[in-house]
Amino acid sequence: MNRWRAMSVALVAGFMTLLDVSIVNVALPSIRSGLHLSSGELQWVLSGYALTFGLLLVPAGRFGDAHGRRNAFIAGLAAFTLSSAAAGVATGPTWLIAARLAQGAAAGVVNPQVSGLIQQLFDPPERGRPFGLLGATIGISTAVGPLLGGLLIQAFGAADGWRWIFYINVPIGAVAIALAARWLPGRPAEARERESLDPVGVSLLGVGVVLLLLPLVQERSWPGHGKWLLALAAVVVLAGFVLWERRFGRRATSVIDLSLFRVRSYALGALVGLFYFGGFTSIFFTFTLLLQNGLHYTALLAGLATTPFALGSAAASAIGGRAVNRYGRPLVVTGLILVVAGLAATVAALHFVPGTGAGWATAVPLLVAGLGSGLVISPNQALTLSEVPVRRAGSAGAVLQTGQRIGTAIGIAAVGSMFFNQLAYNGGSWDLAFRASLWVTIAFVVVALIAAITDVLWPVVNPDPAGTNRG
């Protein structure tokens, strides 16, 4: 069995599912006019995917750990492919929203298997490169989504081009399923865990995640402050989840091993991921709004304007994956500093070059931010999971990704709120609204930077406890 073949098909599937987080952004105007969606329905098309994605990550990761990752991966990929086809042929808002919810749930099943397979296939000293590739996949798929979406809409027309952002998943998914069945390692029946999958814990976590994400993804659609009571309810439910997991974990394997958060690299790495994704993914949301709605760029030109970030992220991810074992967390600190510098320079560029020249003016600053991003996502992924036992790799990676999805929802809600409030306050100035919202993005990245610096300065007591990496 060639483990790099297995890695390649896993990364292709991961790229495809993560691409659908951002590729829809540039297609929203076409979808809205084609299916006559209200603003609330459009929000569900964009955010419903993130909601069900985050909901399924942890239970799917736990299932893969206990019963084998290949079957979970193939089932999730098949569901993703079918739901993509369903989204492409949607004839109305309800159909499209249901397909997007199904897509997100399927993506939540696929993704934790990818990080789990890396832990399973590679020994600890070898994981820098595959985790680097995974980090590059996460970063580039999100950054390149607007460009690919713009290209497809340009190629197939504004009326129906949006359907091809979903259709493109079908042939790729079909090939990936066939290759996964052939190349991914199975798990002997005797190696599968016989114990409970902790249904109470899964249910409490699921309810808590939904209560937390729902007011975030509906932040603009639900007026008033009553929606935030759901977030308070989420805190109560998640506190109950923690208490249950502590009790259940004393007699069986819980859905989340809470002891992982006593490992410094995991706890701080998860915090870096949560806040960095809060800033990172919101950039493309608000920048696309500025370019398409404010400056009347076509979908293709709006996508091209984000390309420098994607190119920088791709180049630095390759370097970061190889250098992480040598430099460790200081590499992440360097990357975060570059992101802050690049985004601050973007604010300055838009101040001096307002209007339709924004795409050119921001090219170099976004390239710098992209280079920094490539040094954050790949190394942080590797460092955060470096001391996780193989038998918990899927669920640990799923918790990490759940944090990233929650961070994304929080970031888009906070940054989007600033953007639209400033848009109303400044009399419709899209440029001023974007610059104001970018400072909120920078604040998220600065919090991630503080967490990373804390990890660097915190004295290492026992950096490689016996047996932690091998499970």
Side-chain angles (χ1 to χ4, degrees):
M1 187 273 297
N2 189 317
R3 55 187 181 170
W4 283 107
R5 286 181 177 179
M7 264 314 299
S8 66
V9 71
L11 290 175
V12 166
F15 181 89
M16 187 168 60
T17 57
L18 291 164
L19 184 72
D20 269 50
V21 173
S22 63
I23 194 173
V24 175
N25 281 335
V26 295
L28 290 178
S30 297
I31 294 173
R32 184 170 196 167
S33 61
L35 296 182
H36 309 291
L37 273 68
S38 67
S39 58
E41 290 167 336
L42 207 62
Q43 180 77 4
W44 270 104
V45 170
L46 183 64
S47 302
Y49 184 88
L51 179 65
T52 51
F53 194 152
L55 180 62
L56 266 290
L57 280 166
V58 173
R62 172 70 184 112
F63 182 89
D65 288 342
H67 296 286
R69 299 182 178 103
R70 182 176 67 177
N71 290 343
F73 179 90
I74 292 173
L77 188 54
F80 184 83
T81 303
L82 291 172
S83 56
S84 295
V89 299
T91 57
T94 302
W95 184 333
L96 180 59
I97 291 168
R100 284 289 285 171
L101 292 172
Q103 261 195 315
V109 174
V110 170
N111 274 272
Q113 316 312 326
V114 179
S115 57
L117 282 166
I118 292 176
Q119 302 282 81
Q120 179 180 335
L121 294 172
F122 296 90
D123 291 328
E126 303 173 307
R127 290 177 190 160
R129 183 182 175 194
F131 270 128
L133 291 172
L134 176 58
T137 298
I138 295 171
I140 296 170
S141 61
T142 305
V144 83
L147 174 60
L148 182 55
L151 287 169
L152 290 170
I153 291 172
Q154 181 75 17
F156 294 101
D160 290 316
W162 65 267
R163 297 184 184 275
W164 287 91
I165 69 176
F166 302 116
Y167 287 151
I168 195 173
N169 294 330
V170 177
I172 298 172
V175 172
I177 289 168
L179 295 179
R182 183 176 180 182
W183 290 344
L184 263 59
R187 188 169 188 177
E190 62 272 14
R192 298 174 186 171
E193 295 181 15
R194 307 296 183 187
E195 58 196 40
S196 169
L197 290 177
D198 188 10
V200 174
V202 168
S203 300
L204 287 170
L205 180 63
V207 171
V209 170
V210 169
L211 290 173
L212 181 61
L213 289 179
L214 198 55
L216 293 169
V217 301
Q218 290 294 97
E219 195 270 335
R220 290 181 55 224
S221 300
W222 291 351
H225 301 294
K227 58 180 173 284
W228 300 115
L229 293 175
L230 294 177
L232 292 176
V235 173
V236 174
V237 173
L238 291 174
F241 166 75
V242 170
L243 293 174
W244 169 263
E245 291 297 279
R246 286 178 175 172
R247 178 184 175 188
F248 187 82
R250 287 195 287 266
R251 64 178 189 273
T253 304
S254 54
V255 67
I256 293 179
D257 185 356
L258 297 176
S259 66
L260 287 173
F261 290 97
R262 293 198 293 269
V263 178
R264 188 192 66 184
S265 61
Y266 187 83
L268 288 174
L271 194 63
V272 169
L274 185 145
F275 281 97
Y276 182 68
F277 272 76
F280 161 62
T281 49
S282 64
I283 298 169
F284 308 104
F285 172 60
T286 52
F287 196 40
T288 301
L289 286 172
L290 167 68
L291 296 174
Q292 286 190 269
N293 294 17
L295 303 178
H296 307 294
Y297 278 38
T298 65
L300 177 58
L301 288 177
L304 285 170
T306 65
T307 302
F309 191 103
L311 292 175
S313 181
S317 291
I319 298 169
R322 291 195 297 267
V324 63
N325 287 335
R326 180 177 180 183
Y327 296 105
R329 189 68 71 184
L331 191 66
V332 177
V333 171
T334 302
L336 289 166
I337 291 171
L338 285 174
V339 174
V340 171
L343 295 181
T346 300
V347 175
L350 289 172
H351 174 74
F352 291 109
V353 188
T356 55
W360 292 108
T362 58
V364 172
L366 287 178
L367 176 64
V368 173
L371 289 168
S373 186
L375 297 179
V376 174
I377 298 176
S378 298
N380 187 62
Q381 191 91 10
L383 292 166
T384 304
L385 296 175
S386 62
E387 296 179 48
V388 173
V390 174
R391 63 186 177 84
R392 304 313 307 268
S395 54
V399 172
L400 183 61
Q401 285 207 43
T402 300
Q404 293 169 359
R405 300 282 76 77
I406 291 172
T408 296
I410 293 172
I412 288 177
V415 174
S417 178
M418 173 63 78
F419 183 92
F420 290 108
N421 287 339
Q422 287 295 312
L423 190 63
Y425 178 77
N426 290 310
S429 173
W430 293 85
D431 179 72
L432 290 176
F434 176 69
R435 278 189 278 152
S437 69
L438 206 52
W439 286 114
V440 181
T441 297
I442 291 170
F444 275 99
V445 180
V446 168
V447 175
L449 175 60
I450 292 170
I453 291 173
T454 300
D455 195 18
V456 171
L457 298 180
W458 196 335
V460 177
V461 178
N462 185 16
D464 189 21
T468 53
N469 292 333
R470 302 300 302 148

